[in-house]
């Protein structure tokens, strides 16, 4: 395997776990405690959509930037 692919996969998994915990904390502690019960279904759907549309691509973008800066760095 290429070094770049291994680094990207490693950073992607690590950052995805970190971003998921942060995302879960934000939604569980700050948003779900402040919404009425009738809005829970809509909020659950929005939570999943935001995760798929924003968090996963953001994690991939950050992983790619980290890999590029790591490989560009002179040794």
């Amino acid at each position: 395997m290429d070094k770049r692919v291994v680094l990207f996969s490693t950073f992607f998994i690590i950052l995805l776990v970190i971003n998921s915990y942060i995302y879960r904390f934000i939604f569980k502690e700050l948003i779900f405690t402040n919404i009425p019960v009738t809005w829970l279904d809509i909020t659950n759907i929005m939570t999943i959509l935001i995760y798929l549309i924003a968090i996963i691509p953001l994690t991939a973008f950050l992983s790619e930037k980290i890999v590029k800066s790591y490989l560009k760095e002179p040794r």
Side-chain angles (χ1 to χ4, degrees), residues 1-62:
M1 266 185 150
D2 187 21
K3 183 179 182 179
R4 184 182 187 106
V5 174
V6 172
L7 284 173
F8 178 79
S9 301
T10 305
F11 285 130
F12 182 77
I13 291 170
I14 292 170
L15 287 174
L16 188 63
V17 169
I18 293 169
N19 286 342
S20 296
Y21 279 116
I22 293 170
Y23 185 69
R24 185 188 69 163
F25 173 76
I26 289 171
F27 268 88
K28 186 177 178 185
E29 299 298 325
L30 302 178
I31 294 176
F32 281 136
T33 57
N34 297 324
I35 62 168
V37 178
T38 57
W39 285 82
L40 277 178
D41 293 334
I42 295 170
T43 309
N44 287 336
I45 292 170
M46 288 178 56
T47 303
I48 293 169
L49 286 176
I50 291 171
Y51 188 79
L52 294 174
I53 293 171
I55 300 300
I56 293 176
L58 176 68
T59 303
F61 176 75
L62 291 175

Side-chain angles (χ1 to χ4, degrees), residues 11 15 61-71:
F11 285 130
L15 287 174
F61 176 75
L62 291 175
S63 298
E64 184 67 27
K65 289 290 185 182
I66 291 171
V67 169
K68 282 182 182 179
S69 68
Y70 179 77
L71 292 176

